[in-house]
Amino acid sequence: MSCNYADGLSPYEDKGKLGIPEKFDSLEEVAEKILTLSKWIKEAKHVVMHTGAGISTPAGIPDFRGPKGVWTLEKKGLKPQINVSFDDAEPTFTHMAIIALFQKNFLHYVVSQNIDGLHLKSGLDRSKLSELHGNMFIGQCSLCSRQYIRRKAVTSVGQRELPVDCPALKGGKLSCRGKLHDTILDWEHELPVRDLGLADIHSNVADLSICLGTTLQIVPSGTLPLATKRKGGRLVIINLQPTKWDKKADLVINTYVDDVMKLLLKELNTPFLPYDPKCDPTRQPLSEKEMWQEEFTKREWTLAPRVVNTTRKRLSHLETKAQPKPKKMKQKHQEEPSPSQLNSPGNSGCQGEGSKQLDMVEPVKVELAEEQCNGLKDEQQDDYVIVTEKITGKKLKQETLHMQSENGEVQSTTNL
């Protein structure tokens, strides 16, 4: 339950803005915005959804910062009246609509802050999901980092060790000898590296990011959708409460998320897929070989060790560079030199072939080794200039390698 989860976290005062009043668009406004959103989805090449606690409230799981949220009521010394257990909760219409959008190729990735396991229960593929704050139905090995599905929600939070051995075998024979622990983050914990890496990649290559049921107050998960905006993509926010990024969004829809998804599926001509316990890994029948200890199964929920690098390469063709805002250069006032100054020996460098300044040039330090150029090209970094010098007698030979960030070509020019 959300209350038990919240109670298990360490004390923390700054929980963001709580109890912000909800607002609702009119039915006409919602219908018009859905038409716009469906048009953008059809046009987009890579769509990412960022989900928060607001998509799970129809399942009976309270949110945290809403008018009746866990932390909003906690500040008043109260508890939510409706609080379904994580074990009994089932995926909502929005969870299942996400599955339908995936099957029609309208959606390509989901980044979630939720720990309730409802994306897992909906049948969403692990390779399509980043769980930034953990999952109540997952245990992770302290040695090999493999993750395993549990049939019932864990009773601890804060990545605490559980009395369960890792079922993994090294080389198919020797036991891993690690212990499983819960994956739920406490306030001071770092986000899981692979999940965060994938979330960052997909947010950067997306040309449309859609935020569902989140006030986007938690960092860094709340700032990931802005990566899409910085790269020239569109940002859509669907939430009952105003968010800190509403002014940056291309479209804001204030109404119930389930209502939006119903209209969206209709506009995209996508049939709804109801929740099926047979597709729920926490409720599927298991053989004796698949069962493990303390409600854990041997079914993995693990992201491959190299998944971040392989995904970056696979999606590199979609990535575009952010366009920096041009900086205004302040021009300093300079006085015109007098005729006597122009004829002085110190200014002989302005007189064509009479210049002897090359004699005084000191060797320029090599800023980057030429061998690194290819590596930077593969990663599509910003422009780099590699400067080397060769001094023969009193002449300076400057070779400049300039990487063109737009088309990836490397040009070489030589100035004598």
Side-chain angles (χ1 to χ4, degrees):
M1 296 182 288
S2 294
C3 291
N4 294 342
Y5 157 69
D7 293 340
L9 298 175
S10 58
Y12 191 77
E13 292 298 325
D14 187 11
K15 294 177 179 176
K17 295 182 179 180
L18 307 176
I20 300 175
E22 298 175 343
K23 56 186 298 188
F24 292 86
D25 293 336
S26 67
L27 295 177
E28 293 76 14
E29 289 176 321
V30 172
E32 183 178 351
K33 291 179 179 180
I34 292 298
L35 289 176
T36 301
L37 178 56
S38 63
K39 178 177 178 291
W40 289 352
I41 290 177
K42 292 175 182 177
E43 295 173 349
K45 295 180 180 179
H46 198 79
V47 181
V48 176
M49 284 189 171
H50 302 257
T51 63
I55 74 168
S56 297
T57 52
I61 300 176
D63 60 20
F64 296 97
R65 297 176 180 85
K68 297 180 181 180
V70 175
W71 288 326
T72 304
L73 296 178
E74 177 188 72
K75 195 172 183 179
K76 302 176 182 179
L78 303 174
K79 295 276 188 181
Q81 296 180 351
I82 300 176
N83 197 20
V84 176
S85 71
F86 290 126
D87 293 336
D88 296 333
E90 294 183 352
T92 66
F93 186 95
T94 296
H95 286 96
M96 301 313 302
I98 287 174
I99 300 296
L101 291 175
F102 266 112
Q103 292 197 358
K104 287 289 188 177
N105 204 35
F106 286 129
L107 180 60
H108 304 92
Y109 202 74
V110 172
V111 179
S112 183
Q113 306 172 46
N114 297 342
I115 52 91
D116 50 39
L118 292 183
H119 281 306
L120 165 70
K121 291 184 174 185
S122 71
L124 183 59
D125 191 279
R126 180 66 169 112
S127 64
K128 305 294 185 182
L129 172 67
S130 279
E131 294 181 311
L132 300 182
H133 299 161
N135 188 327
M136 297 296 290
F137 291 87
I138 300 297
Q140 181 169 317
C141 178
S142 57
L143 292 182
C144 69
S145 298
R146 286 187 173 91
Q147 294 182 337
Y148 292 92
I149 298 173
R150 181 180 165 94
R151 294 179 68 82
K152 292 185 178 180
V154 294
T155 56
S156 65
V157 300
Q159 298 182 339
R160 297 179 181 177
E161 185 177 295
L162 304 171
V164 181
D165 299 322
C166 176
L169 297 176
K170 293 182 178 180
K173 295 181 180 180
L174 299 178
S175 173
C176 170
R177 297 187 179 182
K179 291 287 186 180
L180 299 185
H181 58 79
D182 70 74
T183 61
I184 308 303
L185 303 189
D186 207 338
W187 295 106
E188 71 277 8
H189 289 146
E190 295 182 358
L191 273 64
V193 175
R194 296 174 192 171
D195 289 89
L196 180 59
L198 289 173
D200 181 66
I201 292 171
H202 284 278
S203 298
N204 274 278
V205 303
D207 48 0
L208 177 60
S209 273
I210 305 172
C211 304
L212 301 172
T214 171
T215 54
L216 301 171
Q217 295 190 50
I218 296 295
V219 176
S221 55
T223 59
L224 284 171
L226 295 183
T228 302
K229 188 69 177 176
R230 286 195 299 269
K231 297 299 180 70
R234 293 188 174 108
L235 174 61
V236 177
I237 298 176
I238 305 171
N239 198 52
L240 279 176
Q241 295 174 288
T243 77
K244 61 189 299 183
W245 304 128
D246 282 3
K247 292 182 179 180
K248 293 182 177 294
D250 297 277
L251 182 66
V252 178
I253 306 177
N254 295 124
T255 192
Y256 294 110
V257 177
D258 277 2
D259 291 347
V260 171
M261 298 304 282
K262 290 175 183 177
L263 294 173
L264 184 61
L265 289 186
K266 183 178 180 180
E267 192 63 33
L268 294 174
N269 195 26
T270 301
F272 174 70
L273 299 174
Y275 167 68
D276 185 357
K278 295 180 181 179
C279 298
D280 182 348
T282 69
R283 298 184 180 181
Q284 289 174 340
L286 299 174
S287 63
E288 293 184 3
K289 293 182 179 180
E290 292 177 307
M291 289 299 299
W292 192 236
Q293 307 167 1
E294 299 290 334
E295 298 295 336
F296 273 100
T297 72
K298 292 183 180 180
R299 292 183 176 179
E300 288 198 43
W301 188 247
T302 308
L303 289 172
R306 298 180 182 178
V307 65
V308 176
N309 290 333
T310 56
T311 301
R312 181 181 289 112
K313 292 179 181 179
R314 179 171 57 85
L315 299 178
S316 60
H317 67 286
L318 295 174
E319 189 171 6
T320 57
K321 289 191 176 295
Q323 299 296 328
K325 295 181 180 179
K327 294 183 179 180
K328 295 182 179 180
M329 303 297 293
K330 294 183 179 179
Q331 296 182 352
K332 295 183 178 180
H333 176 70
Q334 296 180 351
E335 296 181 357
E336 293 184 2
S338 62
S340 60
Q341 290 175 327
L342 288 173
N343 296 327
S344 64
N347 285 285
S348 60
C350 300
Q351 301 175 13
E353 294 181 0
S355 173
K356 300 296 181 181
Q357 289 191 2
L358 282 179
D359 296 354
M360 305 173 61
V361 176
E362 296 182 357
V364 182
K365 293 182 179 180
V366 178
E367 295 179 359
L368 284 175
E370 188 175 39
E371 290 77 16
Q372 292 178 327
C373 185
N374 292 332
L376 292 172
K377 177 184 176 183
D378 291 339
E379 296 174 8
Q380 296 186 338
Q381 300 293 333
D382 292 336
D383 291 359
Y384 285 89
V385 176
I386 301 173
V387 180
T388 62
E389 64 171 14
K390 298 177 182 178
I391 299 179
T392 305
K394 296 182 179 180
K395 292 185 178 180
L396 173 66
K397 180 179 180 182
Q398 184 183 36
E399 292 183 352
T400 303
L401 290 175
H402 184 72
M403 178 177 300
Q404 301 293 338
S405 60
E406 294 183 357
N407 55 19
E409 295 180 356
V410 178
Q411 298 178 345
S412 176
T413 60
T414 301
N415 298 322
L416 293 178

